[in-house]
Amino acid sequence: MKKDSIAYAEHVLDLFTEILHKAIIVGPLREVGLGITPALAQGIQFIHQHGVCSVKDIAEGLSMTYSAASQLTDRLVKKGLVTRRENARDRRLTEIELTNDGFKLAEKIRLRRVTEMSRILGRMRPASREMLVQTLEDFITAVVKDDRTALEVCSHCGRDHVPECVINEVYQAATGMPIRRT
């Protein structure tokens, strides 16, 4: 396989995503223990970023079915990481919120991920780090060509919203407006 081939690019991208998954997602979860799966961590992180939310919000934000989001919420409730209560104004709606333990766990996972990413990037030359970020932004821009796709892949990062995010830039170029912060 030649290094300048599409097949090699696909191979390198597969390696990159596998390494990210193991080093940045699975590794920190293993360190914190508690049997937290990547799906549970994603749910905790979503609630951490958005505050009190509904099962519907979780389903939409994590691109999963309502049933899957409900099951995810049940698992988080059983672990004591979130609470579920009726909305005071509309009893048909439920509100999902991190417990103190859930909040501390979200912070711990995030810190472990940042530490690991810093360790990895710290072993790269500054110029290589800049080139990596630029290359990833170029790749994302090549994939995300319109506002609809931008909204589909947007992580709707809530309180961690980054106005300079490449997805926000693609969306703004297509619509003239930034992605609404959720």
Side-chain angles (χ1 to χ4, degrees), residues 1-94:
M1 179 180 323
K2 294 184 179 182
K3 283 196 169 201
D4 63 348
S5 70
I6 299 295
Y8 186 75
E10 180 185 19
H11 171 73
V12 170
L13 188 59
D14 285 346
L15 286 172
F16 182 76
T17 56
E18 186 64 23
I19 288 167
L20 278 182
H21 179 73
K22 287 181 177 168
I24 307 302
I25 296 174
V26 175
L29 294 180
R30 200 174 297 124
E31 289 177 29
V32 298
L34 305 176
I36 302 298
T37 64
L40 290 175
Q42 193 176 24
I44 291 166
Q45 196 62 40
F46 182 85
I47 299 164
H48 183 259
Q49 291 172 326
H50 295 86
V52 178
C53 55
S54 67
V55 174
K56 180 182 176 201
D57 295 334
I58 295 168
E60 289 174 358
L62 298 180
S63 300
M64 60 177 52
T65 64
Y66 184 90
S67 175
S70 182
Q71 290 172 9
L72 176 78
T73 302
D74 289 344
R75 291 171 58 204
L76 291 171
V77 167
K78 285 179 185 170
K79 287 189 173 284
L81 300 171
V82 301
T83 58
R84 181 189 345 222
R85 65 179 177 273
E86 290 179 351
N87 180 293
R89 290 182 298 243
D90 187 345
R91 297 179 70 194
R92 295 171 297 170
L93 302 176
T94 57

Side-chain angles (χ1 to χ4, degrees), residues 23-169:
I24 307 302
I25 296 174
V26 175
L29 294 180
R30 200 174 297 124
E31 289 177 29
V32 298
L34 305 176
I36 302 298
T37 64
L40 290 175
Q42 193 176 24
I44 291 166
Q45 196 62 40
F46 182 85
I47 299 164
H48 183 259
Q49 291 172 326
H50 295 86
V52 178
C53 55
S54 67
V55 174
K56 180 182 176 201
D57 295 334
I58 295 168
E60 289 174 358
L62 298 180
S63 300
M64 60 177 52
T65 64
Y66 184 90
S67 175
S70 182
Q71 290 172 9
L72 176 78
T73 302
D74 289 344
R75 291 171 58 204
L76 291 171
V77 167
K78 285 179 185 170
K79 287 189 173 284
L81 300 171
V82 301
T83 58
R84 181 189 345 222
R85 65 179 177 273
E86 290 179 351
N87 180 293
R89 290 182 298 243
D90 187 345
R91 297 179 70 194
R92 295 171 297 170
L93 302 176
T94 57
E95 296 176 335
I96 312 301
E97 184 174 18
L98 289 176
T99 62
N100 285 336
D101 287 344
F103 185 84
K104 288 176 188 172
L105 181 62
E107 292 285 321
K108 193 176 195 178
I109 291 169
R110 184 182 184 99
L111 178 63
R112 290 249 173 25
R113 286 180 178 172
V114 167
T115 300
E116 184 60 19
M117 185 61 90
S118 296
R119 188 182 65 75
I120 293 166
L121 294 176
R123 291 191 296 213
M124 295 175 70
R125 294 185 322 271
S128 293
R129 284 194 305 267
E130 289 175 24
M131 190 172 18
L132 173 66
V133 171
Q134 184 60 56
T135 300
L136 291 171
E137 286 181 343
D138 290 349
F139 180 84
I140 291 166
T141 301
V143 172
V144 181
K145 293 191 178 272
D146 58 40
D147 58 320
R148 195 178 104 249
T149 308
L151 285 176
E152 287 174 1
V153 299
C154 177
S155 64
H156 301 285
C157 47
R159 68 183 180 101
D160 295 332
H161 178 69
V162 177
E164 304 82 14
C165 173
V166 65
I167 296 295
N168 197 38
E169 290 174 353

